[in-house]
Amino acid sequence: MDDLQNQDEKSSGRGSTRREFLTQITVAGAGLSFAPLIVNTETKVPGSQLSVIQPVNVTMVVNGTKQTLTVDSRVTLLDALRDKLMMPGTKKGCDHGQCGACTVLVNGRRINSCLTFAAMCEGDEITTIEGLAHGDGLHPMQAAFVKHDAFQCGYCTPGQICSAVGLVKEGHAKTDTEIRELMSGNICRCGAYQNILEAIKEVQAVKLI
Amino acid sequence: MEPFKFIRAQDNNNAIAAAAVADAKFIAGGTNIIDLMKLNIEKPHQVVDINALKLDKIETLSNGTIRIGALVKNSDLAYHPNISKNYPVLSEALLSGASAQLRNMASVGGNLLQRTRCPYFYDTSYPCNKREPGSGCSAINGYNRNNAVLGTSDKCIATHPSDMCVAMAALGAIIHVQGAKGMRSIPFADFHLLPGKTPSIETTLKHGELITAVDIPVMSFAVKSHYLKVRDRASYEFALASAAVVLDVQGGRIQHARVALGGVGTKPWRSTVAEKVLTGALNNEQTYRTAAEAALSAAKPYTHNAFKIELAKRTLVRALTTVGGMS
């Protein structure tokens, strides 16, 4: 236990966050085995090989900021957001369109970012969980999730919230059954469904969005 | 995933020219093909993005036909007032498929070309005649609970996964395509192929041909129609059995009937034999049951999917009961 605490202190002493640490080990591993699929035109990831086999230029507006990227054609929108734009709020769950953790809003509509190539997003407006809040003020759906304790581990939550925002905008869910049906693309392994339902109902009822 | 060249097409001709090379694929919603590319089941070396093409409109032609652009999203079609009011079977079928996110992405054209979810097609460590012609079918003597009972061959027993297509089969849709040699129209029943000896060839679409639109012909009685889907969980799951039903009942007799089944066939399964039983018959449960027996009369069970035959019959009877009871 003492050793572990010492390790933690050493880590925090270097000012290394969990995400930075994970990025470092991922890059180290990638350098040994395969080339990363993403290249940043302005700043290159230190220590990586940066080979892009089929580069594609794409310009999209992400959370209100215009971004011009050069990505390998194989890079998904999800990976571009997380690894290129360093916005890790959007989560990778199954990576096959089955869990909804990667849900973002593209031109106001909820989609699975794991089944979209970044190259397909030319001219699109993307909103991720990082783009919902205004400064320190939570988006009404975020506030409702907090109020109703609509999560446990939190991994599916960014996708649930983006999906719920999309659902309210679509306006097709009037009953509990309809909300559940139209949220079925977002899986929660902690089983917070009842509280997610309550959060969505509250936002719908007071027409907060 | 194999590397590929990505091309953004600006118009139909541009897209067709770019897709003419071998190993080229169009991409619209991407919901199925990107999944398959990640698993190295689809390995195109040129991907042609057609999302900029002007194929995203739903129009009503002067003769009443509804023309659906190939790029119309599944959700937009499902919630279109003309479809949800006058062709509920199509709206219900679309909304029973996938999730809200996937329906916001998936195009009508792409839905027509969905590949099977047979587990052996997805698992590249197993032989599969659809994925690797001549390698063998692992499902026939394997775990085949979800496989087909209608239209199978000794080379393939994979089901067609689409819900939308089952409704379109019942409605007698027409598919418009454009290729290097011009345009042509394909009746829905002729679009998908039975597996036969060549299960890897799934449609009559030729390489490089672009689906431009799907027409839904006028069918005034389709206002009384229904899609019933039975599956292992309540939502976000493929069908074990489904039924698309359109009935025109006048004075206690069925004047016109359209029936198609999903989840049980190797292609979207229009059942003309069931329609023959229904047409002119009394609108009652005995007629429905006779029609269901006829619809499944050619069914062939495999080790784990015999239950689908009775399930499909009951699904069809229930769908017929719902539509036959509509006032």
Side-chain angles (χ1 to χ4, degrees):
Chain A
M1 192 63 200
D2 286 341
D3 286 348
L4 284 174
Q5 280 175 341
N6 289 338
Q7 284 292 324
D8 283 344
E9 283 163 15
K10 282 175 195 165
S11 290
S12 59
R14 286 202 305 269
S16 177
T17 65
R18 186 175 66 115
R19 170 147 189 90
E20 286 163 354
F21 173 70
L22 289 172
T23 304
Q24 285 156 10
I25 59 167
T26 305
V27 169
L32 291 174
S33 55
F34 61 90
L37 301 179
I38 298 175
V39 60
N40 188 317
T41 48
E42 302 86 32
T43 54
K44 295 183 174 183
V45 180
S48 67
Q49 295 178 13
L50 294 171
S51 77
V52 172
I53 296 173
Q54 293 280 3
V56 185
N57 296 322
V58 59
T59 299
M60 55 180 106
V61 176
V62 182
N63 298 330
T65 304
K66 190 174 172 182
Q67 303 278 1
T68 299
L69 314 174
T70 301
V71 293
D72 186 277
S73 56
R74 290 168 289 177
V75 170
T76 60
L77 173 60
L78 171 62
D79 287 342
L81 291 169
R82 288 179 57 85
D83 300 338
K84 167 84 172 174
L85 297 172
M86 307 314 280
M87 293 181 183
T90 307
K91 298 293 184 256
K92 182 180 283 194
C94 68
D95 209 25
H96 287 277
Q98 297 173 2
C99 76
C102 68
T103 302
V104 298
L105 300 162
V106 176
N107 302 325
R109 304 180 71 164
R110 50 182 168 154
I111 62 114
N112 300 101
S113 61
C114 75
L115 289 183
T116 303
F117 288 129
M120 293 161 64
C121 300
E122 177 69 19
D124 286 343
E125 289 195 15
I126 320 289
T127 304
T128 71
I129 191 74
E130 290 96 337
L132 288 179
H134 290 290
D136 289 336
L138 293 178
H139 184 279
M141 192 64 77
Q142 291 175 307
F145 267 62
V146 171
K147 178 181 170 187
H148 291 279
D149 198 16
F151 49 85
Q152 191 177 161
C153 83
Y155 195 80
C156 73
T157 311
Q160 297 277 5
I161 290 174
C162 286
S163 190
V165 170
L167 172 136
V168 173
K169 280 187 184 169
E170 288 159 12
H172 300 301
K174 310 292 183 201
T175 63
D176 287 11
T177 305
E178 286 168 349
I179 293 172
R180 286 179 181 277
E181 164 61 31
L182 292 172
M183 285 296 290
S184 72
N186 293 82
I187 310 295
C188 171
R189 289 205 64 175
C190 303
Y193 297 111
Q194 185 60 40
N195 295 357
I196 292 169
L197 178 68
E198 294 305 321
I200 294 172
K201 281 166 67 177
E202 178 173 293
V203 174
Q204 271 193 328
V206 294
K207 296 189 166 50
L208 288 172
I209 55 176
Chain B
M1 194 186 302
E2 298 273 324
F4 60 86
K5 189 175 178 188
F6 184 87
I7 294 172
R8 289 189 191 105
Q10 300 307 319
D11 58 40
N12 291 11
N13 291 332
N14 191 220
I16 292 160
V21 301
D23 294 336
K25 288 273 184 186
F26 294 119
I27 195 163
T31 55
N32 194 191
I33 196 171
I34 294 178
D35 190 24
L36 294 169
M37 288 168 72
K38 286 183 176 187
L39 296 165
N40 281 329
I41 295 165
E42 293 274 14
K43 291 177 270 193
H45 290 121
Q46 184 147 309
V47 171
V48 182
D49 181 353
I50 57 170
N51 285 298
L53 274 46
K54 310 286 183 216
L55 301 172
D56 59 349
K57 297 282 185 295
I58 301 171
E59 305 167 87
T60 305
L61 307 185
S62 55
N63 66 358
T65 296
I66 300 177
R67 178 157 293 174
I68 306 158
L71 288 175
V72 169
K73 300 299 185 189
N74 282 199
S75 48
D76 289 334
L77 181 57
Y79 292 117
H80 190 273
N82 199 349
I83 297 295
S84 56
K85 180 167 174 273
N86 297 318
Y87 301 87
V89 65
L90 179 55
S91 185
E92 290 167 10
L94 285 157
L95 292 176
S96 76
S99 67
Q101 290 97 313
L102 291 166
R103 293 192 292 270
N104 278 344
M105 305 163 75
S107 69
V108 166
N111 198 324
L112 295 170
L113 300 175
Q114 260 198 89
R115 309 297 304 275
T116 185
R117 266 53 173 202
C118 175
Y120 299 105
F121 174 72
Y122 263 76
D123 189 339
T124 54
S125 64
Y126 282 90
C128 169
N129 285 322
K130 200 180 263 303
R131 180 167 30 77
E132 284 178 54
S135 63
C137 174
S138 303
I140 288 175
N141 294 310
Y143 181 68
N144 47 40
R145 178 175 179 270
N146 287 329
N147 288 79
V149 292
L150 288 166
T152 58
S153 76
D154 62 356
K155 300 284 186 269
C156 182
I157 61 169
T159 53
H160 193 275
S162 170
D163 295 297
M164 180 195 83
C165 287
V166 180
M168 285 187 173
L171 294 170
I174 310 276
I175 298 163
H176 297 291
V177 307
Q178 186 179 340
K181 292 176 183 168
M183 300 183 201
R184 65 191 181 108
S185 302
I186 307 167
F188 204 88
D190 298 337
F191 185 76
H192 296 97
L193 294 169
L194 291 173
K197 293 185 186 313
T198 54
S200 64
I201 305 169
E202 296 175 348
T203 70
T204 49
L205 198 66
K206 297 190 180 91
H207 180 74
E209 274 186 323
L210 175 73
I211 299 171
T212 56
V214 178
D215 280 0
I216 306 295
V218 175
M219 194 183 287
S220 57
F221 54 89
V223 68
K224 290 180 184 171
S225 63
H226 178 46
Y227 185 75
L228 177 63
K229 181 174 179 179
V230 178
R231 44 192 158 169
D232 279 332
R233 56 186 183 195
S235 180
Y236 203 7
E237 179 61 282
F238 292 94
L240 290 171
S242 69
V245 167
V246 185
L247 288 181
D248 176 19
V249 181
Q250 314 246 350
R253 279 196 186 271
I254 299 165
Q255 304 298 319
H256 300 95
R258 292 294 183 91
V259 172
L261 300 173
V264 289
T266 52
K267 61 181 264 184
W269 201 263
R270 171 101 178 256
S271 182
T272 50
V273 288
E275 291 172 7
K276 263 186 197 158
V277 170
L278 293 163
T279 305
L282 287 170
N283 179 38
N284 62 29
E285 194 180 339
Q286 191 183 335
T287 299
Y288 304 156
R289 188 75 207 175
T290 309
E293 291 294 336
L296 275 299
S297 58
K300 181 182 176 186
Y302 293 84
T303 317
H304 308 105
N305 71 354
F307 76 98
K308 277 193 174 188
I309 297 175
E310 183 59 25
L311 185 66
K313 288 177 189 173
R314 294 184 189 187
T315 303
L316 178 52
V317 168
R318 195 170 129 195
L320 286 164
T321 305
T322 300
V323 182
M326 287 177 178
S327 53

